[in-house]
Amino acid sequence: MEPDKKSETKEKIMQATLEFTKQSGFEGITIRKIAEASGTNVSLVNYYFGSKENLISESIKIILSSFQHTFAILDELSIPARDRLKQFLMDYLQVIREYPELLSRIILMGSADFSSQQEYGSFLNLLGFPKVQNTLKEITGEQQPERLTTMMTQIFGALFLPALMSPILEKGASVKIAPIEEQIDLLFERYFH
């Protein structure tokens, strides 16, 4: 197979995997379903990815890399810090809403040896978290790194937990979850007074 054709086939398989993940989550993935969705065959999926676990790991790596672009807004110093943080959180939560199972899967895996999770953790530690902490420092004037970390995790928790639980709450308990922007506005109103 020609190099361009190989790359195109592998990309088709990955796009089918990402689309399947959005619609059905990771648990429903099978090599056969991905082969069918990508218009290829089981042998090609196995050839490019080796196993279902490798296919899922590669797709998670791509999804996690899509989170990285959300941090760029925090570098736009011409935008007020509170607005930057709000836009970052909205963008970040949008990716979570596209792939709701991703965050819960990463949480459930804990400290398991999972290369894409570790790569993303390194990115967060080196670049992502310091950007969020610096933005919080601008908003609040807080200087202590430990307090900035606590603030950051509190804000993330206040927004990520509803994002994770919204399917259960809305379908199972008939609880209406406010739109993301309303959640962020209410949180900021209470948190940054």
Side-chain angles (χ1 to χ4, degrees):
M1 198 179 283
E2 308 163 23
D4 287 345
K5 186 77 169 158
K6 280 184 172 183
S7 178
E8 185 180 308
T9 301
K10 187 174 181 179
E11 180 63 24
K12 273 179 31 179
I13 294 168
M14 184 51 63
Q15 287 307 314
T17 304
L18 293 171
E19 194 56 41
F20 189 91
T21 302
K22 278 184 192 177
Q23 295 171 7
S24 305
F26 293 106
E27 299 311 314
I29 289 178
T30 66
I31 297 290
R32 187 171 309 286
K33 287 178 183 176
I34 297 304
E36 185 179 315
S38 65
T40 61
N41 60 51
V42 171
S43 298
L44 281 173
V45 176
N46 283 322
Y47 173 76
Y48 287 113
F49 296 97
S51 69
K52 172 184 165 180
E53 290 73 27
N54 288 344
L55 178 63
I56 290 172
S57 182
E58 285 298 312
S59 68
I60 289 173
K61 195 178 288 190
I62 290 170
I63 296 166
L64 288 176
S65 73
S66 72
F67 278 102
Q68 293 180 12
H69 84 279
T70 64
F71 287 89
I73 188 69
L74 297 173
D75 294 326
E76 297 293 330
L77 300 180
S78 62
I79 300 170
R82 194 169 165 152
D83 294 341
R84 287 195 318 265
L85 183 60
K86 179 179 177 178
Q87 188 60 54
F88 159 73
L89 290 168
M90 288 179 58
D91 292 349
Y92 202 90
L93 283 165
Q94 184 56 44
V95 177
I96 288 174
R97 289 178 81 88
E98 277 186 64
Y99 300 97
E101 195 179 303
L102 175 66
L103 192 57
S104 56
R105 184 177 179 93
I106 290 171
I107 290 167
L108 289 174
M109 294 195 76
S111 61
D113 187 21
F114 184 42
S115 64
S116 53
Q117 180 186 22
Q118 291 173 350
E119 287 169 18
Y120 187 65
S122 294
F123 164 77
L124 287 177
N125 198 30
L126 293 173
L127 297 173
F129 286 164
K131 289 181 181 189
V132 175
Q133 290 170 328
N134 286 335
T135 306
L136 286 170
K137 191 185 298 186
E138 275 184 73
I139 295 169
T140 65
E142 180 60 58
Q143 298 296 314
Q144 293 181 25
E146 300 82 20
R147 291 183 64 115
L148 289 166
T149 299
T150 300
M151 292 169 69
M152 179 179 61
T153 57
Q154 288 173 340
I155 290 169
F156 283 175
L159 296 169
F160 294 171
L161 185 60
L164 282 173
M165 292 192 62
S166 65
I168 295 166
L169 293 173
E170 289 177 345
K171 290 178 185 153
S174 298
V175 173
K176 179 77 172 112
I177 301 294
I180 293 171
E181 189 166 7
E182 285 181 35
Q183 291 180 47
I184 293 171
D185 288 341
L186 178 61
L187 177 66
F188 281 15
E189 180 183 310
R190 302 286 184 208
Y191 206 83
F192 302 127
H193 54 273

